Amino acid sequence: MEALHEEMPFDLAFHPSSPLVATSLITGELYLFRYAAESQPERLFAAKSHKESCRAVRFVESGNGSADCSILASDVETGKPIARLEDAHENGINRLVCLTETTVASGDDEGCIKVWDTRERSCCNTFHCHEDYISDMTYVSDSNQILATSGDGTLSVSNLRRNKVKSQSEFSEDELLSVVVMKNGKKVVCGTPSGALLLYSWGFFKDCSDRFLGHAQSVDTMLKLDEETLISGASDGVIRLVGILPNRIIQPLAEHSEYPIEALAFSNDRNYLGSISHDKMLKLWDLQDLLNRQQLVQDDKLGEQDSDDSDDDGMDVDMDPNSSKGSRSTKTSKGQSSDRPTSDFFADL
């Protein structure tokens, strides 16, 4: 399932309970689509929400936000504005993340993070922890902390209870673009422009504990599938299934296009994986179908290896009983796989 935009989308978000998906565009517009199995997404409305590009969109109980330094609340049914926080940041807002039913966090182009109470429409916390744009954020509810990555090449941990930056990594020699928490909270994984994934151990954030070089190009977005695996979106347009500890590219899942993938998201029931790219296309993938195809590919590879081993055993045994040296040649067959096989809301500029 797919839907073409008139201009490039920056972000997407699925509704928490209804079959709706919203996208935010470089033009400052918000699109809302209704989706259903075996049919193309139906666009319900397009609303001009911001004067500048709208870089992030999220569904919350009472609002939506934007990136002309303002945060906007829009009605899901009509797209009409409900409330606007003018000059919410001094600089353009680059990321939004939902924390609770009534709080969201926003990160701007100069590294500032703010937490907002959507009922009171007021700022609860402010963290000045980075010197460049906030590229991604994730909320850890157990410890009430926000993890953020930045163009300054560092990872930060901000404690909401104490309203302070608890920890910050050293410069990683590369921008950090995306972040997920894995292994039951024991590992934090960050994507970089070089394609390397940096792994940090929880509580030891000064330097990464491992570096995984499986991607050839920039890892711009990631989603945690489970505690052992994540789904990555890279600048080569390929969506991949990635294993963490052991670190490996399990299989390319889909190819969105030849252009960079801007964002990935799961539907509320996890039946669909959504992706947007520089090709101006929103694509909705049947997640279980992608994973089943990946399993079939793995099973085929194992079958080929077993067949090769059986052939070797039959062909390479020396049958001469008088021979003083039995000989067995070892044959290695490497399977090759192509690396290219894809309420209300908040937005920001």
Side-chain angles (χ1 to χ4, degrees), residues 140-153:
V140 183
S141 58
D142 292 345
S143 57
N144 199 23
Q145 297 181 121
I146 296 174
L147 273 65
T149 52
S150 171
D152 66 8

Side-chain angles (χ1 to χ4, degrees), residues 137-316:
M137 294 186 291
T138 189
Y139 176 60
V140 183
S141 58
D142 292 345
S143 57
N144 199 23
Q145 297 181 121
I146 296 174
L147 273 65
T149 52
S150 171
D152 66 8
T154 66
L155 167 72
S156 68
V157 183
S158 298
N159 189 300
L160 300 186
R161 292 192 184 95
R162 299 183 180 181
N163 195 28
K164 64 180 292 186
V165 179
K166 181 179 180 180
S167 183
Q168 189 164 7
S169 71
E170 297 177 352
F171 175 57
S172 64
E173 299 183 359
D174 208 349
E175 297 177 28
L176 299 184
L177 302 178
S178 48
V179 59
V180 292
V181 180
M182 305 286 292
K183 296 290 184 177
N184 298 302
K186 296 179 181 180
K187 292 292 179 180
V188 177
V189 184
C190 299
T192 67
S194 68
L197 297 183
L198 306 186
L199 278 65
Y200 294 84
S201 296
W202 188 267
F204 301 90
F205 294 107
K206 287 300 179 182
D207 196 7
C208 64
S209 59
D210 198 1
R211 185 183 296 262
F212 172 37
L213 304 176
H215 295 78
Q217 297 187 34
S218 176
V219 182
D220 300 322
T221 179
M222 297 187 296
L223 291 176
K224 180 170 77 172
L225 182 63
D226 54 42
E227 298 300 335
E228 312 294 328
T229 51
L230 61 85
I231 296 175
S232 67
S235 60
D236 59 2
V238 178
I239 300 170
R240 295 176 174 86
L241 188 66
V242 182
I244 299 298
L245 296 177
N247 301 328
R248 63 192 182 104
I249 302 291
I250 298 174
Q251 185 72 25
L253 292 179
E255 183 179 5
H256 182 110
S257 70
E258 61 184 6
Y259 299 104
I261 295 174
E262 279 290 327
L264 298 171
F266 290 128
S267 62
N268 63 295
D269 54 10
R270 284 208 167 196
N271 286 338
Y272 296 100
L273 170 68
S275 62
I276 54 172
S277 173
H278 291 195
D279 66 350
K280 305 178 184 179
M281 192 73 73
L282 163 69
K283 293 189 178 183
L284 303 181
W285 311 86
D286 185 311
L287 181 59
Q288 196 57 52
D289 181 59
L290 292 180
L291 296 176
N292 288 342
R293 279 190 282 168
Q294 173 267 329
Q295 186 62 50
L296 287 174
V297 170
Q298 284 193 318
D299 291 345
D300 287 345
K301 287 183 178 180
L302 289 174
E304 291 175 1
Q305 291 175 356
D306 291 342
S307 176
D308 288 346
D309 290 343
S310 176
D311 289 344
D312 289 346
D313 290 343
M315 293 174 62
D316 298 328

Side-chain angles (χ1 to χ4, degrees), residues 16-32:
S17 58
S18 301
L20 302 173
V21 58
T23 56
S24 59
L25 279 65
I26 193 172
T27 56
E29 293 177 289
L30 291 174
Y31 284 8
L32 184 68

Side-chain angles (χ1 to χ4, degrees), residues 108-113 127-134 150:
D108 69 24
D109 284 344
E110 294 298 324
C112 177
I113 298 172
F127 303 99
H128 297 280
C129 43
H130 294 281
E131 298 178 356
D132 207 337
Y133 70 97
I134 301 298
S150 171

